[in-house]
Amino acid sequence: MDDITVKEHINYWLSTADDDLTAARHLFEKGDYPHCLFFGHLVLEKALKALYVRNIREIPPFKHSLPYLAEAAQLTLDADQEKFFEQANEFNQQGRYPDIKNKFRKKCTREFTENNLRKIEVLYQWIINIIKS
């Protein structure tokens, strides 16, 4: 893994995920719900990449799909987690490529965003616990 140790790679991914979680919380506080969820997706993506480095001991794939990264990192998901990871991919796609009718933006009410941000935080902590075990 180049000149950087596995531990340094893991720390990189987790520290940038922490930064993104802080940004997501700030965006939520300001009422920018679509971007809050976009950053929430980044949190999970980076946590999965840290887990990938821990388990596979290689540079993680240049992919954004949470289900793909979870499988590549050898993370076993239950049905609810798998469903949420699939749903959270929409946060990434809509953050990068919003639709012309702003359907996603309209969907991102305070309640919708708060519920999903809470799920992101729980899953993020779960992945961190696995990495540290």
Side-chain angles (χ1 to χ4, degrees):
M1 289 199 69
D2 300 286
D3 296 332
I4 302 175
T5 67
V6 168
K7 185 175 180 173
E8 288 171 320
H9 272 277
I10 292 169
N11 289 340
Y12 163 77
W13 287 113
L14 292 181
S15 69
T16 59
D18 284 342
D19 291 344
D20 290 338
L21 184 56
T22 298
R25 289 173 176 154
H26 289 306
L27 289 162
F28 180 79
E29 289 169 11
K30 297 296 182 188
D32 188 347
Y33 303 137
H35 287 104
C36 167
L37 293 177
F38 174 75
F39 273 83
H41 176 279
L42 289 174
V43 170
L44 293 177
E45 179 183 331
K46 291 175 180 181
L48 290 170
K49 288 181 177 185
L51 182 63
Y52 182 92
V53 171
R54 175 192 176 260
N55 290 346
I56 310 302
R57 303 238 185 271
E58 293 179 4
I59 302 291
F62 292 100
K63 304 279 186 191
H64 305 296
S65 168
L66 300 179
Y68 173 85
L69 291 169
E71 183 178 338
Q74 302 174 342
L75 179 63
T76 302
L77 302 174
D78 65 28
D80 289 337
Q81 292 166 329
E82 193 171 312
K83 183 177 177 181
F84 182 75
F85 276 24
E86 289 172 12
Q87 176 190 342
N89 273 336
E90 181 181 359
F91 308 158
N92 175 51
Q93 289 300 317
Q94 290 299 320
R96 291 176 191 274
Y97 313 107
D99 67 77
I100 197 156
K101 293 183 180 180
N102 288 314
K103 286 187 253 175
F104 182 69
R105 181 170 289 283
K106 291 174 185 170
K107 187 180 195 179
C108 290
T109 63
R110 179 179 177 82
E111 181 181 6
F112 176 84
T113 304
E114 187 172 29
N115 288 338
N116 283 291
L117 183 57
R118 200 173 304 124
K119 290 175 187 175
I120 288 165
E121 291 171 333
V122 167
L123 287 166
Y124 178 51
Q125 191 57 55
W126 175 63
I127 296 168
I128 288 173
N129 291 340
I130 292 171
I131 291 169
K132 292 182 177 181
S133 65

